[in-house]
Amino acid sequence: MTLFRKRLPEERPAVPPTGYKVAFPMLSGDGTRVGFRGVSLGGRLVYGTVDDARCGYGRRHLSPARGCDCGFYCLHSSAEAQALTCATDCQEAVVLTVSVLGAYTRYERGMRYARQRIRSVRVGGCGCGRPAEAFRYAGTGLPGWRAVAATCRNCAAGLKLLPFPEFARLAGPAVMLTTDAAPDRAVGPDLLLPQLAAEAALLQARLDLFQERLNRLADP
């Protein structure tokens, strides 16, 4: 007896479907670009904010391809993606919200697809349990790329840090960054200049106070 599987109708959505996934944040060796590395099959590849899937086995075919499990993957539920960051191997990963572009196949829990656009990056806390305040170099990487991980300033004392607003700026104007400490407060290029201006004003006030004290000491 031959069994036939019912073919699902072809989808033609008016807007790209939304998905959620986990990935490791990366910074290019020259510090001018950010990217993301997959946590499973895509762990040997770094992709950008808008990118096409490539075969993780190095085969020369378009992804996703029949007979191969390459391609981008995402989940339908943000809660499921967030739960993956509890796994030991994924605790330094971030949660991405993506727009699914190009050809895709829908599964019960998610999708496998050809092209994506990253819309937001959600950063977890520091490994010590405190809220994260910046990225630090994680000590790992791939050719041309360094892995970064979220940290609080106490744990990163003396280390070179990559501020969240700078990471958001390098990611591009279409990407917003949030943290678990303040998930409703997005960090993006539109908020970068006001924040830098406030920091500059505070620094100038401290310099003025320091100069005033020097003048007092120099005045006989």
Side-chain angles (χ1 to χ4, degrees):
M1 180 179 179
T2 303
L3 297 177
F4 294 94
R5 180 176 297 178
K6 184 178 180 180
R7 185 180 181 88
L8 295 176
E10 183 177 352
E11 296 185 23
R12 295 184 179 276
V15 295
T18 297
Y20 307 89
K21 61 192 302 181
V22 294
F24 296 109
M26 310 289 287
L27 178 68
S28 63
D30 59 5
T32 61
R33 294 175 295 151
V34 297
F36 301 89
R37 178 174 66 87
V39 298
S40 55
L41 172 63
R44 297 184 296 270
L45 301 173
V46 177
Y47 52 82
T49 302
V50 181
D51 215 334
D52 295 298
R54 289 161 285 166
C55 181
Y57 299 108
R59 298 169 182 167
R60 297 182 178 179
H61 57 228
L62 295 177
S63 297
R66 291 187 178 182
C68 184
D69 55 3
C70 62
F72 286 133
Y73 287 83
C74 72
L75 295 165
H76 294 312
S77 167
S78 60
E80 285 194 66
Q82 188 70 33
L84 292 178
T85 62
C86 296
T88 301
D89 295 339
C90 297
Q91 290 186 6
E92 293 186 343
V94 296
V95 177
L96 305 179
T97 303
V98 300
S99 290
V100 174
L101 308 174
Y104 63 87
T105 301
R106 189 182 294 273
Y107 298 96
E108 181 179 359
R109 296 177 58 195
M111 289 176 279
R112 177 187 176 207
Y113 53 100
R115 183 175 172 81
Q116 71 181 8
R117 179 189 301 275
I118 297 174
R119 290 162 33 196
S120 70
V121 179
R122 180 168 179 172
V123 183
C126 178
C128 70
R130 297 186 183 94
E133 300 176 69
F135 284 118
R136 59 168 174 81
Y137 292 122
T140 59
L142 296 171
W145 294 91
R146 295 189 179 96
V148 295
T151 183
C152 68
R153 294 191 181 275
N154 289 343
C155 293
L159 299 180
K160 183 177 181 180
L161 300 180
L162 175 64
F164 288 150
E166 177 65 10
F167 186 93
R169 184 187 69 82
L170 294 175
V175 179
M176 302 305 296
L177 186 147
T178 61
T179 67
D180 284 350
D184 296 330
R185 182 179 179 184
V187 178
D190 293 340
L191 303 179
L192 178 60
L193 290 179
Q195 179 174 339
L196 292 179
E199 292 177 356
L202 178 60
L203 179 60
Q204 185 62 50
R206 290 177 176 175
L207 289 175
D208 292 342
L209 179 60
F210 182 68
Q211 185 63 48
E212 181 181 351
R213 290 178 177 177
L214 283 178
N215 291 339
R216 290 177 181 177
L217 291 175
D219 188 355

